[in-house]
Structure formats: structure tokens, C-alpha cells
Tab-separated table of all heavy atoms in Angstrom:
chain	number	residue	atom	x	y	z
T	171	MET	N	0.840	-1.056	-0.043
T	171	MET	CA	-0.062	0.009	0.009
T	171	MET	C	0.840	1.219	-0.026
T	171	MET	O	0.651	2.174	-0.749
T	171	MET	CB	-0.894	-0.045	1.254
T	171	MET	CG	-1.756	1.142	1.345
T	171	MET	SD	-3.017	1.218	0.120
T	171	MET	CE	-3.927	2.501	0.678
T	172	GLN	N	1.863	1.214	0.914
T	172	GLN	CA	2.737	2.526	0.884
T	172	GLN	C	3.551	2.618	-0.273
T	172	GLN	O	3.777	3.790	-0.736
T	172	GLN	CB	3.555	2.317	2.197
T	172	GLN	CG	4.346	3.615	2.444
T	172	GLN	CD	5.100	3.591	3.834
T	172	GLN	OE1	5.146	2.593	4.437
T	172	GLN	NE2	5.645	4.708	4.227
T	173	SER	N	4.134	1.576	-0.926
T	173	SER	CA	4.948	1.546	-2.093
T	173	SER	C	4.073	2.142	-3.375
T	173	SER	O	4.465	2.812	-4.197
T	173	SER	CB	5.586	0.321	-2.406
T	173	SER	OG	4.633	-0.664	-2.797
T	174	ARG	N	2.781	1.683	-3.262
T	174	ARG	CA	1.889	2.100	-4.333
T	174	ARG	C	1.685	3.705	-4.237
T	174	ARG	O	1.600	4.274	-5.225
T	174	ARG	CB	0.539	1.406	-4.248
T	174	ARG	CG	-0.453	1.749	-5.299
T	174	ARG	CD	-1.665	0.927	-5.120
T	174	ARG	NE	-1.836	0.120	-6.276
T	174	ARG	CZ	-2.759	-0.757	-6.385
T	174	ARG	NH1	-3.612	-1.070	-5.402
T	174	ARG	NH2	-2.867	-1.644	-7.478
T	175	PHE	N	1.566	4.171	-3.021
T	175	PHE	CA	1.364	5.574	-2.860
T	175	PHE	C	2.629	6.306	-3.190
T	175	PHE	O	2.492	7.405	-3.903
T	175	PHE	CB	1.129	5.854	-1.284
T	175	PHE	CG	0.975	7.344	-0.969
T	175	PHE	CD1	-0.094	8.042	-1.395
T	175	PHE	CD2	1.948	7.915	-0.291
T	175	PHE	CE1	-0.237	9.405	-1.038
T	175	PHE	CE2	1.901	9.298	-0.011
T	175	PHE	CZ	0.816	10.010	-0.295
T	176	ILE	N	3.806	5.841	-2.923
T	176	ILE	CA	5.033	6.403	-3.321
T	176	ILE	C	5.162	6.487	-4.789
T	176	ILE	O	5.562	7.476	-5.448
T	176	ILE	CB	6.152	5.753	-2.642
T	176	ILE	CG1	6.196	5.935	-1.120
T	176	ILE	CG2	7.535	6.250	-3.152
T	176	ILE	CD1	7.292	5.120	-0.267
T	177	ARG	N	4.742	5.384	-5.395
T	177	ARG	CA	4.960	5.407	-6.920
T	177	ARG	C	3.946	6.487	-7.540
T	177	ARG	O	4.208	7.143	-8.504
T	177	ARG	CB	4.452	4.132	-7.377
T	177	ARG	CG	5.555	3.033	-7.361
T	177	ARG	CD	5.057	1.809	-7.926
T	177	ARG	NE	5.919	0.649	-7.592
T	177	ARG	CZ	5.590	-0.650	-7.750
T	177	ARG	NH1	4.472	-0.981	-8.222
T	177	ARG	NH2	6.483	-1.479	-7.418
T	178	LEU	N	2.664	6.543	-6.996
T	178	LEU	CA	1.785	7.568	-7.433
T	178	LEU	C	2.287	8.950	-7.331
T	178	LEU	O	2.121	9.831	-8.133
T	178	LEU	CB	0.417	7.322	-6.688
T	178	LEU	CG	-0.732	8.328	-7.156
T	178	LEU	CD1	-1.167	8.028	-8.571
T	178	LEU	CD2	-1.976	8.063	-6.205
T	179	VAL	N	2.770	9.259	-6.130
T	179	VAL	CA	3.360	10.631	-5.827
T	179	VAL	C	4.521	10.823	-6.769
T	179	VAL	O	4.610	11.929	-7.306
T	179	VAL	CB	3.678	10.719	-4.377
T	179	VAL	CG1	4.505	12.037	-4.238
T	179	VAL	CG2	2.529	10.692	-3.408
T	180	THR	N	5.350	9.925	-7.039
T	180	THR	CA	6.476	10.076	-7.994
T	180	THR	C	6.028	10.339	-9.322
T	180	THR	O	6.586	11.200	-9.963
T	180	THR	CB	7.428	8.767	-7.868
T	180	THR	OG1	7.810	8.500	-6.553
T	180	THR	CG2	8.575	9.012	-8.767
T	181	LEU	N	4.925	9.549	-9.811
T	181	LEU	CA	4.406	9.702	-11.126
T	181	LEU	C	3.834	11.156	-11.293
T	181	LEU	O	4.132	11.757	-12.310
T	181	LEU	CB	3.355	8.657	-11.398
T	181	LEU	CG	2.731	8.714	-12.717
T	181	LEU	CD1	3.725	8.461	-13.860
T	181	LEU	CD2	1.600	7.681	-12.826
T	182	ILE	N	3.072	11.488	-10.354
T	182	ILE	CA	2.430	12.914	-10.351
T	182	ILE	C	3.451	13.947	-10.442
T	182	ILE	O	3.427	14.940	-11.113
T	182	ILE	CB	1.360	13.010	-9.168
T	182	ILE	CG1	0.229	12.136	-9.440
T	182	ILE	CG2	1.004	14.518	-9.066
T	182	ILE	CD1	-0.687	12.077	-8.243
T	183	THR	N	4.498	13.812	-9.713
T	183	THR	CA	5.506	14.745	-9.569
T	183	THR	C	6.325	14.814	-10.970
T	183	THR	O	6.551	15.866	-11.484
T	183	THR	CB	6.614	14.446	-8.465
T	183	THR	OG1	5.879	14.441	-7.190
T	183	THR	CG2	7.678	15.548	-8.310
T	184	ALA	N	6.545	13.643	-11.496
T	184	ALA	CA	7.300	13.685	-12.817
T	184	ALA	C	6.416	14.306	-13.976
T	184	ALA	O	6.926	14.988	-14.734
T	184	ALA	CB	7.565	12.144	-13.146
T	185	ILE	N	5.105	14.088	-13.899
T	185	ILE	CA	4.216	14.591	-14.866
T	185	ILE	C	4.161	16.163	-14.770
T	185	ILE	O	4.266	16.922	-15.721
T	185	ILE	CB	2.879	13.997	-14.750
T	185	ILE	CG1	2.826	12.635	-15.334
T	185	ILE	CG2	1.835	14.833	-15.548
T	185	ILE	CD1	1.529	11.759	-15.002
T	186	TYR	N	4.137	16.593	-13.537
T	186	TYR	CA	4.160	18.069	-13.222
T	186	TYR	C	5.495	18.696	-13.814
T	186	TYR	O	5.396	19.774	-14.334
T	186	TYR	CB	3.983	18.319	-11.768
T	186	TYR	CG	4.223	19.766	-11.414
T	186	TYR	CD1	3.321	20.759	-11.671
T	186	TYR	CD2	5.389	20.250	-10.806
T	186	TYR	CE1	3.439	22.024	-11.427
T	186	TYR	CE2	5.611	21.559	-10.651
T	186	TYR	CZ	4.668	22.509	-10.897
T	186	TYR	OH	4.856	23.734	-10.593
T	187	CYS	N	6.595	17.967	-13.509
T	187	CYS	CA	7.798	18.577	-13.831
T	187	CYS	C	7.965	18.679	-15.402
T	187	CYS	O	8.457	19.620	-16.033
T	187	CYS	CB	8.990	17.807	-13.321
T	187	CYS	SG	9.143	18.111	-11.448
T	188	VAL	N	7.612	17.573	-16.037
T	188	VAL	CA	7.548	17.686	-17.665
T	188	VAL	C	6.698	18.611	-18.134
T	188	VAL	O	7.022	19.325	-19.053
T	188	VAL	CB	7.142	16.128	-18.141
T	188	VAL	CG1	6.933	16.229	-19.548
T	188	VAL	CG2	8.262	15.186	-17.736
T	189	TYR	N	5.522	18.749	-17.487
T	189	TYR	CA	4.618	19.877	-17.992
T	189	TYR	C	5.075	21.298	-17.757
T	189	TYR	O	5.032	22.168	-18.572
T	189	TYR	CB	3.169	19.673	-17.329
T	189	TYR	CG	2.211	20.798	-17.710
T	189	TYR	CD1	1.611	20.633	-18.888
T	189	TYR	CD2	1.908	21.807	-16.911
T	189	TYR	CE1	0.680	21.641	-19.366
T	189	TYR	CE2	1.100	22.780	-17.366
T	189	TYR	CZ	0.453	22.805	-18.545
T	189	TYR	OH	-0.336	23.650	-18.890
T	190	HIS	N	5.641	21.385	-16.671
T	190	HIS	CA	6.263	22.750	-16.212
T	190	HIS	C	7.433	23.195	-17.124
T	190	HIS	O	7.610	24.363	-17.475
T	190	HIS	CB	6.661	22.740	-14.629
T	190	HIS	CG	7.020	24.067	-14.152
T	190	HIS	ND1	6.139	25.132	-14.081
T	190	HIS	CD2	8.278	24.481	-13.737
T	190	HIS	CE1	6.818	26.182	-13.612
T	190	HIS	NE2	8.098	25.881	-13.318
T	191	TYR	N	8.359	22.231	-17.394
T	191	TYR	CA	9.521	22.488	-18.126
T	191	TYR	C	9.388	21.920	-19.633
T	191	TYR	O	10.395	21.720	-20.294
T	191	TYR	CB	10.744	21.912	-17.425
T	191	TYR	CG	11.029	22.503	-16.159
T	191	TYR	CD1	10.902	21.721	-14.973
T	191	TYR	CD2	11.485	23.741	-16.014
T	191	TYR	CE1	11.132	22.261	-13.687
T	191	TYR	CE2	11.735	24.255	-14.750
T	191	TYR	CZ	11.455	23.490	-13.602
T	191	TYR	OH	11.824	23.997	-12.414
T	192	ARG	N	8.153	21.986	-20.082
T	192	ARG	CA	8.028	21.326	-21.495
T	192	ARG	C	8.814	22.155	-22.570
T	192	ARG	O	9.253	21.486	-23.501
T	192	ARG	CB	6.570	21.195	-21.800
T	192	ARG	CG	5.813	22.463	-21.940
T	192	ARG	CD	4.194	22.239	-22.046
T	192	ARG	NE	3.478	23.388	-22.105
T	192	ARG	CZ	3.023	24.163	-21.099
T	192	ARG	NH1	3.288	23.728	-19.884
T	192	ARG	NH2	2.347	25.282	-21.273
T	193	TYR	N	8.717	23.441	-22.533
T	193	TYR	CA	9.442	24.143	-23.554
T	193	TYR	C	10.947	23.948	-23.427
T	193	TYR	O	11.613	24.019	-24.523
T	193	TYR	CB	9.014	25.660	-23.476
T	193	TYR	CG	7.495	25.765	-23.811
T	193	TYR	CD1	6.562	26.237	-22.809
T	193	TYR	CD2	6.969	25.453	-24.959
T	193	TYR	CE1	5.231	26.352	-23.103
T	193	TYR	CE2	5.599	25.492	-25.269
T	193	TYR	CZ	4.757	25.999	-24.345
T	193	TYR	OH	3.405	26.125	-24.624
T	194	ARG	N	11.462	24.012	-22.193
T	194	ARG	CA	12.893	23.858	-22.089
T	194	ARG	C	13.318	22.434	-22.578
T	194	ARG	O	14.353	22.293	-23.313
T	194	ARG	CB	13.281	23.900	-20.568
T	194	ARG	CG	13.348	25.274	-20.107
T	194	ARG	CD	13.858	25.410	-18.742
T	194	ARG	NE	13.777	26.848	-18.227
T	194	ARG	CZ	14.288	27.208	-17.190
T	194	ARG	NH1	14.972	26.373	-16.429
T	194	ARG	NH2	14.173	28.499	-16.755
T	195	ILE	N	12.474	21.391	-22.332
T	195	ILE	CA	12.770	20.097	-22.825
T	195	ILE	C	12.716	20.003	-24.345
T	195	ILE	O	13.610	19.433	-24.986
T	195	ILE	CB	11.768	19.000	-22.189
T	195	ILE	CG1	11.958	19.028	-20.687
T	195	ILE	CG2	11.969	17.660	-22.819
T	195	ILE	CD1	10.799	18.210	-19.901
T	196	VAL	N	11.753	20.647	-24.969
T	196	VAL	CA	11.677	20.616	-26.334
T	196	VAL	C	12.789	21.390	-26.991
T	196	VAL	O	13.474	20.939	-27.989
T	196	VAL	CB	10.234	21.216	-26.873
T	196	VAL	CG1	10.297	21.515	-28.400
T	196	VAL	CG2	9.164	20.339	-26.495
T	197	ASN	N	13.239	22.651	-26.397
T	197	ASN	CA	14.282	23.396	-26.904
T	197	ASN	C	15.621	22.469	-26.773
T	197	ASN	O	16.465	22.399	-27.662
T	197	ASN	CB	14.494	24.640	-26.165
T	197	ASN	CG	13.514	25.661	-26.627
T	197	ASN	OD1	12.877	25.583	-27.754
T	197	ASN	ND2	13.140	26.570	-25.791
T	198	TRP	N	15.791	21.710	-25.667
T	198	TRP	CA	16.985	20.886	-25.438
T	198	TRP	C	16.963	19.823	-26.534
T	198	TRP	O	18.108	19.516	-27.113
T	198	TRP	CB	16.863	20.384	-24.054
T	198	TRP	CG	17.984	19.430	-23.857
T	198	TRP	CD1	19.345	19.678	-23.664
T	198	TRP	CD2	17.930	17.950	-23.768
T	198	TRP	NE1	20.028	18.538	-23.388
T	198	TRP	CE2	19.201	17.460	-23.439
T	198	TRP	CE3	16.821	17.109	-23.795
T	198	TRP	CZ2	19.373	16.050	-23.237
T	198	TRP	CZ3	16.933	15.713	-23.598
T	198	TRP	CH2	18.336	15.300	-23.287
T	199	LEU	N	15.851	19.222	-26.836
T	199	LEU	CA	15.698	18.097	-27.765
T	199	LEU	C	16.028	18.643	-29.195
T	199	LEU	O	16.739	18.026	-29.951
T	199	LEU	CB	14.400	17.360	-27.780
T	199	LEU	CG	14.175	16.546	-26.560
T	199	LEU	CD1	12.727	15.944	-26.550
T	199	LEU	CD2	15.208	15.300	-26.676
T	200	MET	N	15.498	19.826	-29.542
T	200	MET	CA	15.759	20.345	-30.926
T	200	MET	C	17.182	20.899	-31.061
T	200	MET	O	17.478	21.263	-32.214
T	200	MET	CB	14.744	21.509	-31.089
T	200	MET	CG	13.236	21.057	-31.266
T	200	MET	SD	13.043	19.935	-32.562
T	200	MET	CE	12.393	18.466	-31.687
T	201	SER	N	17.844	20.922	-29.961
T	201	SER	CA	19.389	21.459	-30.271
T	201	SER	C	20.106	20.308	-30.875
T	201	SER	O	21.188	20.583	-31.372
T	201	SER	CB	19.893	21.824	-28.979
T	201	SER	OG	20.049	20.714	-28.078
T	202	TYR	N	19.614	19.139	-30.958
T	202	TYR	CA	20.296	18.055	-31.614
T	202	TYR	C	19.834	17.792	-33.039
T	202	TYR	O	18.498	17.807	-33.328
T	202	TYR	CB	20.081	16.721	-30.876
T	202	TYR	CG	20.747	16.690	-29.555
T	202	TYR	CD1	19.878	16.888	-28.350
T	202	TYR	CD2	22.041	16.565	-29.324
T	202	TYR	CE1	20.421	16.879	-27.114
T	202	TYR	CE2	22.625	16.628	-28.026
T	202	TYR	CZ	21.740	16.705	-26.983
T	202	TYR	OH	22.354	16.751	-25.739
T	203	SER	N	20.782	18.000	-34.067
T	203	SER	CA	20.277	17.894	-35.391
T	203	SER	C	19.584	16.623	-35.711
T	203	SER	O	18.594	16.702	-36.639
T	203	SER	CB	21.522	18.152	-36.285
T	203	SER	OG	22.349	17.077	-36.214
T	204	VAL	N	19.879	15.494	-35.198
T	204	VAL	CA	19.259	14.236	-35.539
T	204	VAL	C	17.790	14.366	-35.132
T	204	VAL	O	16.843	13.887	-35.855
T	204	VAL	CB	19.940	13.070	-34.838
T	204	VAL	CG1	19.142	11.730	-35.109
T	204	VAL	CG2	21.333	12.969	-35.383
T	205	ALA	N	17.534	14.783	-33.917
T	205	ALA	CA	16.180	14.940	-33.458
T	205	ALA	C	15.349	15.928	-34.348
T	205	ALA	O	14.232	15.677	-34.517
T	205	ALA	CB	16.078	15.406	-32.015
T	206	ARG	N	15.918	17.068	-34.609
T	206	ARG	CA	15.399	18.048	-35.420
T	206	ARG	C	14.908	17.448	-36.875
T	206	ARG	O	13.842	17.753	-37.273
T	206	ARG	CB	16.223	19.235	-35.593
T	206	ARG	CG	15.606	20.492	-36.011
T	206	ARG	CD	16.555	21.819	-35.862
T	206	ARG	NE	17.898	21.549	-36.262
T	206	ARG	CZ	18.954	21.609	-35.483
T	206	ARG	NH1	18.850	21.750	-34.167
T	206	ARG	NH2	20.230	21.340	-35.923
T	207	LYS	N	15.835	16.800	-37.409
T	207	LYS	CA	15.619	16.233	-38.749
T	207	LYS	C	14.426	15.116	-38.655
T	207	LYS	O	13.668	15.011	-39.526
T	207	LYS	CB	16.818	15.430	-39.279
T	207	LYS	CG	17.809	16.467	-39.730
T	207	LYS	CD	19.073	15.671	-40.265
T	207	LYS	CE	20.227	16.769	-40.654
T	207	LYS	NZ	21.456	16.084	-41.062
T	208	LEU	N	14.348	14.347	-37.575
T	208	LEU	CA	13.322	13.402	-37.391
T	208	LEU	C	11.999	14.079	-37.153
T	208	LEU	O	10.985	13.638	-37.757
T	208	LEU	CB	13.659	12.569	-36.115
T	208	LEU	CG	12.757	11.462	-35.796
T	208	LEU	CD1	12.695	10.414	-36.779
T	208	LEU	CD2	13.032	10.823	-34.366
T	209	VAL	N	12.002	15.181	-36.335
T	209	VAL	CA	10.694	15.869	-36.278
T	209	VAL	C	10.180	16.431	-37.584
T	209	VAL	O	8.942	16.360	-37.928
T	209	VAL	CB	10.833	16.976	-35.184
T	209	VAL	CG1	9.653	17.902	-35.168
T	209	VAL	CG2	10.976	16.281	-33.835
T	210	VAL	N	11.062	17.019	-38.375
T	210	VAL	CA	10.729	17.676	-39.710
T	210	VAL	C	10.225	16.513	-40.639
T	210	VAL	O	9.119	16.596	-41.267
T	210	VAL	CB	11.794	18.430	-40.287
T	210	VAL	CG1	11.470	18.823	-41.757
T	210	VAL	CG2	12.119	19.653	-39.431
T	211	ARG	N	10.932	15.370	-40.649
T	211	ARG	CA	10.617	14.304	-41.575
T	211	ARG	C	9.258	13.686	-41.098
T	211	ARG	O	8.423	13.417	-41.986
T	211	ARG	CB	11.662	13.250	-41.510
T	211	ARG	CG	11.497	12.106	-42.548
T	211	ARG	CD	12.709	11.225	-42.500
T	211	ARG	NE	13.818	11.876	-42.811
T	211	ARG	CZ	15.069	11.593	-42.194
T	211	ARG	NH1	15.153	10.772	-41.193
T	211	ARG	NH2	16.155	12.298	-42.542
T	212	THR	N	8.975	13.660	-39.820
T	212	THR	CA	7.672	12.932	-39.340
T	212	THR	C	6.571	13.882	-39.580
T	212	THR	O	5.514	13.463	-39.954
T	212	THR	CB	7.872	12.740	-37.778
T	212	THR	OG1	8.995	11.738	-37.704
T	212	THR	CG2	6.571	12.047	-37.336
T	213	SER	N	6.813	15.257	-39.359
T	213	SER	CA	5.659	16.128	-39.510
T	213	SER	C	5.364	16.360	-40.996
T	213	SER	O	4.166	16.544	-41.314
T	213	SER	CB	6.020	17.539	-38.941
T	213	SER	OG	7.167	18.111	-39.626
T	214	PHE	N	6.280	16.190	-41.854
T	214	PHE	CA	5.924	16.322	-43.365
T	214	PHE	C	5.257	14.967	-43.912
T	214	PHE	O	4.696	15.004	-44.953
T	214	PHE	CB	7.304	16.562	-44.177
T	214	PHE	CG	7.560	17.995	-44.380
T	214	PHE	CD1	8.830	18.541	-44.729
T	214	PHE	CD2	6.592	18.988	-43.914
T	214	PHE	CE1	9.127	19.809	-44.950
T	214	PHE	CE2	6.918	20.326	-44.069
T	214	PHE	CZ	8.172	20.776	-44.456
T	215	SER	N	5.251	13.989	-43.145
T	215	SER	CA	4.630	12.707	-43.539
T	215	SER	C	3.105	12.837	-43.248
T	215	SER	O	2.297	11.956	-43.650
T	215	SER	CB	5.258	11.517	-42.884
T	215	SER	OG	5.072	11.493	-41.603
T	216	ILE	N	2.753	13.701	-42.309
T	216	ILE	CA	1.321	13.937	-41.990
T	216	ILE	C	0.621	14.635	-43.149
T	216	ILE	O	1.112	15.573	-43.600
T	216	ILE	CB	1.216	14.748	-40.675
T	216	ILE	CG1	1.954	14.130	-39.545
T	216	ILE	CG2	-0.281	15.030	-40.374
T	216	ILE	CD1	1.980	15.000	-38.244
T	217	PRO	N	-0.533	14.053	-43.640
T	217	PRO	CA	-1.246	14.674	-44.792
T	217	PRO	C	-1.633	16.119	-44.473
T	217	PRO	O	-2.081	16.452	-43.459
T	217	PRO	CB	-2.424	13.800	-44.859
T	217	PRO	CG	-2.052	12.513	-44.267
T	217	PRO	CD	-1.238	12.885	-43.175
T	218	GLY	N	-1.309	16.944	-45.420
T	218	GLY	CA	-1.763	18.349	-45.339
T	218	GLY	C	-0.670	19.176	-44.791
T	218	GLY	O	-0.720	20.486	-45.223
T	219	VAL	N	0.194	18.785	-44.039
T	219	VAL	CA	1.219	19.686	-43.384
T	219	VAL	C	2.227	20.148	-44.522
T	219	VAL	O	2.439	21.388	-44.498
T	219	VAL	CB	2.011	18.945	-42.225
T	219	VAL	CG1	3.211	19.733	-41.760
T	219	VAL	CG2	1.009	18.613	-41.186
T	220	ARG	N	2.696	19.316	-45.304
T	220	ARG	CA	3.744	19.719	-46.321
T	220	ARG	C	2.973	20.697	-47.301
T	220	ARG	O	3.597	21.667	-47.564
T	220	ARG	CB	4.058	18.452	-47.143
T	220	ARG	CG	5.134	18.762	-48.103
T	220	ARG	CD	5.572	17.523	-48.865
T	220	ARG	NE	6.714	17.719	-49.692
T	220	ARG	CZ	7.871	17.227	-49.571
T	220	ARG	NH1	8.098	16.391	-48.569
T	220	ARG	NH2	8.912	17.561	-50.255
T	221	GLU	N	1.764	20.501	-47.710
T	221	GLU	CA	1.155	21.401	-48.629
T	221	GLU	C	0.909	22.737	-48.110
T	221	GLU	O	1.195	23.867	-48.686
T	221	GLU	CB	-0.312	20.828	-49.116
T	221	GLU	CG	-0.183	19.710	-50.074
T	221	GLU	CD	0.095	18.424	-49.167
T	221	GLU	OE1	-0.099	18.239	-48.025
T	221	GLU	OE2	0.469	17.349	-49.961
T	222	ARG	N	0.465	22.847	-46.816
T	222	ARG	CA	0.265	24.097	-46.186
T	222	ARG	C	1.544	24.839	-46.074
T	222	ARG	O	1.659	26.051	-46.114
T	222	ARG	CB	-0.337	23.874	-44.838
T	222	ARG	CG	-1.809	23.582	-44.900
T	222	ARG	CD	-2.488	23.458	-43.583
T	222	ARG	NE	-3.867	23.152	-43.619
T	222	ARG	CZ	-4.692	22.912	-42.629
T	222	ARG	NH1	-4.184	23.163	-41.370
T	222	ARG	NH2	-5.943	22.642	-42.797
T	223	PHE	N	2.648	24.041	-45.664
T	223	PHE	CA	3.927	24.652	-45.430
T	223	PHE	C	4.379	25.285	-46.794
T	223	PHE	O	4.835	26.393	-46.796
T	223	PHE	CB	4.929	23.671	-44.814
T	223	PHE	CG	6.298	24.281	-44.842
T	223	PHE	CD1	6.697	25.143	-43.769
T	223	PHE	CD2	7.272	23.986	-45.704
T	223	PHE	CE1	7.915	25.695	-43.728
T	223	PHE	CE2	8.647	24.531	-45.604
T	223	PHE	CZ	8.915	25.383	-44.692
T	224	LEU	N	4.333	24.504	-47.856
T	224	LEU	CA	4.856	25.024	-49.167
T	224	LEU	C	3.994	26.168	-49.601
T	224	LEU	O	4.566	27.156	-50.259
T	224	LEU	CB	4.866	23.858	-50.126
T	224	LEU	CG	5.813	22.801	-49.809
T	224	LEU	CD1	5.716	21.736	-50.861
T	224	LEU	CD2	7.247	23.333	-49.776
T	225	GLN	N	2.767	26.169	-49.367
T	225	GLN	CA	1.773	27.310	-49.790
T	225	GLN	C	2.315	28.501	-49.044
T	225	GLN	O	2.337	29.641	-49.637
T	225	GLN	CB	0.372	27.074	-49.526
T	225	GLN	CG	-0.288	26.099	-50.556
T	225	GLN	CD	-1.672	25.703	-50.124
T	225	GLN	OE1	-2.157	26.076	-49.076
T	225	GLN	NE2	-2.345	24.940	-51.019
T	226	GLY	N	2.520	28.416	-47.762
T	226	GLY	CA	2.903	29.607	-46.998
T	226	GLY	C	4.339	30.114	-47.198
T	226	GLY	O	4.518	31.278	-47.275
T	227	ALA	N	5.263	29.155	-47.550
T	227	ALA	CA	6.577	29.489	-47.821
T	227	ALA	C	6.768	30.166	-49.149
T	227	ALA	O	7.615	31.018	-49.248
T	227	ALA	CB	7.377	28.245	-47.810
T	228	PHE	N	6.052	29.741	-50.198
T	228	PHE	CA	6.263	30.280	-51.517
T	228	PHE	C	5.086	31.107	-51.928
T	228	PHE	O	4.662	31.131	-53.102
T	228	PHE	CB	6.491	29.103	-52.427
T	228	PHE	CG	7.757	28.401	-52.121
T	228	PHE	CD1	7.701	27.177	-51.693
T	228	PHE	CD2	8.960	29.027	-52.222
T	228	PHE	CE1	8.901	26.458	-51.192
T	228	PHE	CE2	10.192	28.311	-51.911
T	228	PHE	CZ	10.024	26.991	-51.364
T	229	ARG	N	4.375	31.723	-51.105
T	229	ARG	CA	3.190	32.562	-51.397
T	229	ARG	C	3.758	33.875	-52.208
T	229	ARG	O	4.713	34.457	-51.871
T	229	ARG	CB	2.521	33.034	-50.129
T	229	ARG	CG	1.245	33.759	-50.394
T	229	ARG	CD	0.631	34.123	-49.161
T	229	ARG	NE	1.027	33.311	-48.031
T	229	ARG	CZ	0.768	33.441	-46.804
T	229	ARG	NH1	-0.007	34.446	-46.422
T	229	ARG	NH2	1.225	32.694	-45.751
T	230	SER	N	3.043	34.210	-53.187
T	230	SER	CA	3.375	35.359	-54.061
T	230	SER	C	3.219	36.660	-53.341
T	230	SER	O	2.133	36.937	-52.720
T	230	SER	CB	2.612	35.304	-55.357
T	230	SER	OG	2.936	36.523	-56.121
T	231	THR	N	4.204	37.510	-53.261
T	231	THR	CA	4.002	38.801	-52.553
T	231	THR	C	3.699	39.910	-53.478
T	231	THR	O	3.532	41.015	-53.121
T	231	THR	CB	5.415	39.194	-51.846
T	231	THR	OG1	6.454	39.209	-52.905
T	231	THR	CG2	5.757	38.182	-50.743
T	232	PHE	N	3.654	39.594	-54.842
T	232	PHE	CA	3.332	40.632	-55.734
T	232	PHE	C	1.885	40.573	-56.271
T	232	PHE	O	1.464	41.239	-57.219
T	232	PHE	CB	4.198	40.374	-57.011
T	232	PHE	CG	5.630	40.551	-56.690
T	232	PHE	CD1	6.381	39.386	-56.746
T	232	PHE	CD2	6.123	41.809	-56.426
T	232	PHE	CE1	7.725	39.519	-56.452
T	232	PHE	CE2	7.484	41.821	-56.138
T	232	PHE	CZ	8.318	40.703	-56.129
T	233	SER	N	0.992	39.909	-55.461
T	233	SER	CA	-0.454	39.830	-55.947
T	233	SER	C	-1.186	41.089	-55.631
T	233	SER	O	-1.086	41.749	-54.782
T	233	SER	CB	-1.203	38.660	-55.141
T	233	SER	OG	-0.471	37.396	-55.544
């Protein structure tokens, strides 16, 4: 019973810390080129993401 309580408290604390420092964690992960390439490759495999990005990146400014 007591070890279950300790696990629960540890899990809640870990979730809180990850949530609280989520942007620092993401920035730390994105500082590695392999992780950055993996995120870009994965996000471009999602339908619609690539088209929207390319439309926004190459939008005509002379219209």
C-alpha cells in the first residue's frame, strides 16, 4: 500500500515537472540535429502539413 502511494506521488511529480518544463525540454531536444531532422521528416509525412507549409513559404508577394 505504501509503495503504491510512493509510486503515485512520484508519477504525479514527474508529470508536473515535464509539464512545467515542457518548452525547455523541447528546446533541449531540438538542439540536436538528428532529433530536429526526425521531427521535420515525421511532420511532413502527416497529410496536409507539407502542402500548407509550401503554400505559406512560396506565397506570391506581388499579388
